[in-house]
Amino acid sequence: MLCAFFFFWMFTAPSWAQPNAPQGFYPSSCRHADLPQLLSKIDSRLAQDLAGLPKVNRKFLAKEYQERADSLKSEILGENFIQDSLWTAWFQNILDEILKSNPTISAHDVTLFLSQYESPNARSVGEGTLVFNVALLPFLKNESQVAAILSHELAHFANDHGNIALHHYVNTLYSPETQKQLKNISKGKVNKTQRAIDLMKGMAYKSSRHSRFKETEADSLGFVFLSNTRYQLKEAIGVLKILDSIDQHTWPVIPYESIFNAPGFPFQDSWLENSASSGLSSQPAFHSEIFASDSMKTHPDCEHRILLAQAQYDALGQPTGGQLFIQPESNFLQLQNYAQYEVIEGLNRRGASGRALFRALVLSINKPDDSYLNGLIIKSICEISQSQRAHKLRNVLDLPDADYSDEYNRFLKFVNNLRVSDLEKMAYHYALNHWAQSSGNEGFVFAAIWSAYLAGAKESFEVWKQKYLDTYPNGAYIQYINELD
Amino acid sequence: MRKKYLIFVWACAFLNVLTVNAQKYTFDDVGNIQLKNMAPIYQNDIVMGYFAFYFLDKSSKKNMGNYKLILLDENLNKIAEKQLEEDIDMEILMASYNGKHLMMVFHHYSRTKSTALFAQYEIWFRQYDMNLNLLSTENRSTDDMGTYSFKNLTPELPHVSPKFVAVEDKGFVFYNYNYYDTQFTGRTTQQFFPSDDTKTWQIKSDKYDKRHLIYSEMCHNDKIVLNRLSQYTSDYSKYLQGVNLESGEILFDKEMTIDEYNIQIIYAYPDSMGNFVVVGKYYPKDKSTFEAKNLGIMMGKINTKGDFLSHKFLSWKTDFASKIAVDATGNIKGKGDIFIHEAVHTNDGKICLIGEIHDIKIGIISSDVLRLNDFVLIELTADAVISDVRLFEKEARSSKFTAKIPLGGYELYPNIVLLQGGFDYQFLRRDKDNNAYTFFYEKQIKKSKKKYTRQLGTISKRVGDTKYETDLISLDSDATDFQIMPAKYGHLLIVEYFKKTKKLDMRLEKFNH
């Protein structure tokens, strides 16, 4: 029954949003009010693209275009994109400024989505859709840098880089020469794999799907786009410098003992011991930070691009100097702050409880009384414990990896050292510790009720449940709370 | 029997490319790679990682193939990979890590030396560094090794397999048994492969020494490796042998007896003084250890000459009877006899013995019936005082033997059941600091007349805890092929192969411990 409830909860629970909460962070809605129009726009753009396809390899090209459109629709239907006007209006204003200043761009075809994905990145899908991961925002210094990134992605679209790469891949794969070579390899009897790998080199279109194609060309045109706006052109160089060092980001050390020590459940040093790791894993082959593995840093040769951008700046110049902000700076700062929460919310929404918990713990170091974070910490621990009970822990929690940062690996080992009963008691005692500050938050109260249920704390469960029912008679979690009875 | 190979659509291993089309060639059409075998890499009992050995395709040389060897850490992260050109039938038998080097035993069927009656194999002992750079290789011909019995070499069954012992930073000791005839007369080879400049050595048992049929390492320190020898047809595991790790000199080879008792050593570990703590069952001397009923548990200490420095007998009759309802022969009324499967020591000096209660009814005409009952967990302190004995209740189940158990001694029956995999008990894992241990058992729940649902039960304890943690992991899967492998402590590796989608899914699952 408990497992059934858990999985029911995982897939049907509402967003962590609490529209009635009196204070704190409120996650944005990702439900599209104009969903039919949005899907229709993608379909009509697809139809237009398909109609314009050349005869050669048309079938294979059409399949790729179709897949691209389906993938985008799937992301939209999966509610991966933020729809809150606080966000969309701010970004749309920047996009409008660029489009208005650059009438050569087909503005009608451009759609901007803001995603909660954790990777600090932005991409051009290829048919006019741009995706900006809000995780990138905390790394940026001003609105001009956001504009520089959007200009770069618009340049990819304007120069049709996505479609060119797609056509290049399909036409290469289905060219008579490649087909002849593939046929020979296929019919051959020896060394087929190595021959295929050799042939495959340079054809990896899908692995670079997010338009890492002709980056310097996009830099250059993006620079021109930006130069036509009121934004400060020099920030295009500044943003490249930031991207160049984005993978040097380090996490603060999480003080687990001070966070989780409770009078009724004292912290145990053994939870932080590293007894599970072997000698093999202590010899990592890679050191890159996983959160930046798909970041813009992976665009080729940032240093070289910075030099080119500097030369272009020197040539173009910007007599007026430009503005760092066109919109109030406070809006930028507010969204920068919210971006970290949105990333956590996105992880939580997608069931990545371990990563959501880690980021929430990091953020809570300086915000120990944040009701949203406290609720999410409890909820994530409960989800991890229930996944472990169902032997599905790998669905919600990563394993340590040399690719991850030391602090994230430390977190993973900490959680892995905990027994199910430890996790459940930890969540409950954390709820007890934070009840006074956070019980005004609906999500927190629900998470506290769930933790009390799992820890077998009947009295707290009844008291907290009654509090919820009294305070939120039409609350978002009524159904789930009743399931716990 | 050839193994059923797990097949990847090889394109998945490299890049996502276009799917198959009937008219045009794609990379999917080029071929599949096959996962020939994958197994844990042990540093003695501890899983340090895994190797995966893939067959890519045939090479241009006759009877040769291209392979990819991938080294994974305990969390399934890739550490290194190497492309190899090897015999077309090559497999990796086992792998071990000694903190310095990796030893892998490759083997393949020998086309030239095999006959219609006897299969012959070529074996390579190769040491690698952690980047899979080859450091040394030694080929053993079948003329030297004899006809190789691979039946004994199943790393997944640590309680019955000879071990490939990794001696920390020094090298590896490999145990190998060769059949010579149908009378179970054979020869055991024990060979040391150094990881440094020290010399290799080899010990071959006397061809007519029947004790060597079951011959395996019990434990080692930095100077001595302690081996157990069993005489399959009469006495079971009552001989201990000590071998000097540097020279290969046999320091002692002794029958374990004290006063009027024979002792079957179950477990041993080195202490900090260079001696060995040993635990075993004891029997009256007038009968073989197969025929007699054991009288209890012996715990003691032996020195580097194999002499007892101290010992203590804990009898069922006096020492255990006050704690559980057991008679003088270890029989619990209404339930059956206690068969000790394994033991483990923890860093607080305690030793836990894991027993399973069983009752075998030998039918004169009808089938022999095995009834399995509860587990018995016995905890002894470093001073050989019984600190805890408890029954761990599990659902009793009966099963019939398809073949008659040969009439023999009292202890023979459970050993035959053990060899047939008839017990619920499966295996034991411990963490590398001896701070915790878990043993696994299989639980079958009858769903219908012929259908069972299977679960893997775990019973775990950490030092300092007073109660055992338990868990049940479902062994039912929709996969075409499903396998559970040992993993780092607290986890199991679940490997599932889905034929329809040609997908191989590997995941480490944590159990509650």
Side-chain angles (χ1 to χ4, degrees), chain B residues 220-357:
Chain B
H220 67 274
N221 58 24
D222 59 345
K223 293 185 176 65
I224 296 171
V225 59
L226 203 62
N227 298 317
R228 175 169 64 178
L229 297 87
S230 299
Q231 195 167 339
Y232 185 74
T233 49
S234 55
D235 272 351
Y236 189 79
S237 302
K238 67 173 184 176
Y239 302 93
L240 273 190
Q241 184 188 68
V243 176
N244 184 320
L245 266 171
E246 280 188 11
S247 64
E249 178 193 358
I250 296 175
L251 300 172
F252 63 87
D253 185 343
K254 286 189 173 179
E255 189 174 0
M256 293 286 104
T257 60
I258 301 175
D259 303 331
E260 67 271 32
Y261 301 118
N262 283 327
I263 297 154
Q264 181 199 336
I265 302 295
I266 300 168
Y267 185 71
Y269 71 92
D271 71 4
S272 56
M273 305 297 287
N275 301 311
F276 295 94
V277 175
V278 291
V279 182
K281 294 184 279 189
Y282 68 98
Y283 302 81
K285 221 175 189 178
D286 56 347
K287 287 185 180 174
S288 80
T289 52
F290 267 175
E291 293 167 331
K293 291 196 169 192
N294 79 76
L295 303 173
I297 304 295
M298 187 284 308
M299 183 170 165
K301 196 170 276 191
I302 60 170
N303 62 17
T304 53
K305 294 175 182 171
D307 298 327
F308 274 96
L309 299 173
S310 62
H311 69 271
K312 188 173 177 183
F313 291 107
L314 301 165
S315 72
W316 298 121
K317 188 177 178 180
T318 54
D319 300 287
F320 287 98
S322 60
K323 298 179 187 298
I324 51 169
V326 65
D327 72 8
T329 61
N331 183 280
I332 295 177
K333 197 175 178 183
K335 294 202 170 191
D337 300 318
I338 299 170
F339 181 76
I340 303 290
H341 284 290
E342 223 159 337
V344 63
H345 75 282
T346 45
N347 58 22
D348 58 353
K350 286 184 177 173
I351 288 182
C352 179
L353 295 100
I354 298 138
E356 187 170 359
I357 302 172

Side-chain angles (χ1 to χ4, degrees), chain B residues 132-289:
Chain B
L132 287 176
N133 296 313
L134 185 64
L135 302 171
S136 68
T137 181
E138 187 168 336
N139 174 220
R140 303 299 307 276
S141 71
T142 48
D143 295 341
D144 182 33
M145 303 285 281
T147 306
Y148 211 77
S149 165
F150 288 100
K151 287 178 184 172
N152 286 341
L153 299 169
T154 47
E156 293 82 5
L157 298 169
H159 56 296
V160 296
S161 304
K163 288 181 181 174
F164 194 169
V165 178
V167 184
E168 289 73 16
D169 297 334
K170 290 194 171 184
F172 302 86
V173 183
F174 181 70
Y175 295 83
N176 158 49
Y177 180 76
N178 314 315
Y179 285 114
Y180 276 95
D181 55 41
T182 55
Q183 300 303 309
F184 294 108
T185 308
R187 172 176 287 184
T188 305
T189 316
Q190 188 184 159
Q191 183 166 359
F192 179 66
F193 297 91
S195 286
D196 51 23
D197 296 334
T198 53
K199 284 184 179 176
T200 182
W201 52 258
Q202 188 175 4
I203 300 170
K204 284 184 179 179
S205 68
D206 185 331
K207 181 177 174 181
Y208 301 102
D209 187 348
K210 291 182 179 177
R211 299 178 312 157
H212 286 262
L213 186 67
I214 299 172
Y215 181 27
S216 61
E217 185 251 17
M218 296 222 70
C219 68
H220 67 274
N221 58 24
D222 59 345
K223 293 185 176 65
I224 296 171
V225 59
L226 203 62
N227 298 317
R228 175 169 64 178
L229 297 87
S230 299
Q231 195 167 339
Y232 185 74
T233 49
S234 55
D235 272 351
Y236 189 79
S237 302
K238 67 173 184 176
Y239 302 93
L240 273 190
Q241 184 188 68
V243 176
N244 184 320
L245 266 171
E246 280 188 11
S247 64
E249 178 193 358
I250 296 175
L251 300 172
F252 63 87
D253 185 343
K254 286 189 173 179
E255 189 174 0
M256 293 286 104
T257 60
I258 301 175
D259 303 331
E260 67 271 32
Y261 301 118
N262 283 327
I263 297 154
Q264 181 199 336
I265 302 295
I266 300 168
Y267 185 71
Y269 71 92
D271 71 4
S272 56
M273 305 297 287
N275 301 311
F276 295 94
V277 175
V278 291
V279 182
K281 294 184 279 189
Y282 68 98
Y283 302 81
K285 221 175 189 178
D286 56 347
K287 287 185 180 174
S288 80
T289 52

Side-chain angles (χ1 to χ4, degrees), chain A residues 63-64 173-174 179 186 190-193 276-278 280 283 391 393-394 400-401 416 418-420, chain B residues 18-19 25 29-30 48 57-59 66 74 77 130 432 462 465 471-472 508-510 512-513:
Chain A
K63 189 166 174 287
E64 287 296 304
L173 179 63
Y174 294 103
Q179 284 296 301
S186 181
V190 298
N191 299 331
K192 292 163 78 169
T193 307
S277 68
S278 73
L280 292 186
Q283 301 180 40
H391 303 111
L393 187 61
R394 291 287 69 78
D401 189 327
N416 265 303
L418 294 164
R419 289 175 172 159
V420 171
Chain B
L18 297 183
T19 49
Y25 284 89
D29 300 326
V30 171
M48 310 302 281
D57 50 32
K58 286 181 182 175
S59 110
N66 296 311
E74 60 183 1
N77 304 309
M130 300 319 297
K432 70 179 173 124
R462 292 184 193 178
D465 284 355
D471 206 347
L472 276 173
L508 279 176
E509 258 333 314
K510 186 182 172 189
N512 194 34
H513 62 91

Side-chain angles (χ1 to χ4, degrees), chain A residues 57 59-60 63-64 169-170 173-174 178-179 182-183 185-187 189-194 196-197 199-200 203-204 206-207 270-271 273-281 283 285-286 387-389 391-395 399-402 415-423, chain B residues 10 14-19 21 23-27 29-31 33 41 47-50 56-60 66 68 71-79 83 85 97 102 130 431-433 435 461-462 465 469 471-474 488-489 491 507-513:
Chain A
N57 295 323
K59 188 167 70 177
F60 306 112
K63 189 166 174 287
E64 287 296 304
Y169 172 77
V170 169
L173 179 63
Y174 294 103
T178 310
Q179 284 296 301
L182 273 173
K183 186 178 176 184
I185 296 170
S186 181
K187 299 211 164 169
K189 291 196 184 325
V190 298
N191 299 331
K192 292 163 78 169
T193 307
Q194 192 55 51
I197 290 171
L199 181 61
M200 199 186 281
M203 294 179 60
K206 281 195 176 175
S207 68
S270 62
W271 292 337
E273 280 174 8
N274 191 15
S275 60
S277 68
S278 73
L280 292 186
S281 60
Q283 301 180 40
F286 314 105
S387 295
Q388 190 180 324
R389 280 202 186 278
H391 303 111
K392 303 282 183 192
L393 187 61
R394 291 287 69 78
N395 293 347
L399 285 162
D401 189 327
V415 179
N416 265 303
N417 279 344
L418 294 164
R419 289 175 172 159
V420 171
S421 54
D422 293 335
L423 285 164
Chain B
W10 79 271
F14 298 100
L15 287 169
N16 283 324
V17 294
L18 297 183
T19 49
N21 177 272
Q23 283 76 44
K24 297 279 186 179
Y25 284 89
T26 71
F27 285 97
D29 300 326
V30 171
I33 64 167
I41 298 167
V47 173
M48 310 302 281
Y50 300 86
L56 302 180
D57 50 32
K58 286 181 182 175
S59 110
S60 51
N66 296 311
K68 182 157 275 188
L71 188 60
L72 305 168
D73 72 7
E74 60 183 1
N75 295 310
L76 300 177
N77 304 309
K78 187 167 78 176
I79 296 174
Q83 197 150 325
E85 190 177 33
Y97 176 66
L102 192 65
M130 300 319 297
D431 75 341
K432 70 179 173 124
D433 301 323
N435 193 45
K461 197 173 184 193
R462 292 184 193 178
D465 284 355
E469 291 287 327
D471 206 347
L472 276 173
I473 300 145
S474 173
K488 67 177 186 175
Y489 185 71
H491 293 73
R507 66 177 200 275
L508 279 176
E509 258 333 314
K510 186 182 172 189
F511 56 82
N512 194 34
H513 62 91

Side-chain angles (χ1 to χ4, degrees), chain A residues 8-9 12-20 31 442-443 446 468 471-482:
Chain A
F8 178 73
W9 153 255
T12 62
S15 157
W16 206 232
Q18 303 130 39
N20 299 322
R31 290 192 179 140
E442 184 185 354
F446 167 71
Y468 184 94
T471 315
Y472 310 104
N474 300 311
Y477 305 101
I478 293 277
Q479 184 191 345
Y480 307 108
I481 289 171
N482 289 332

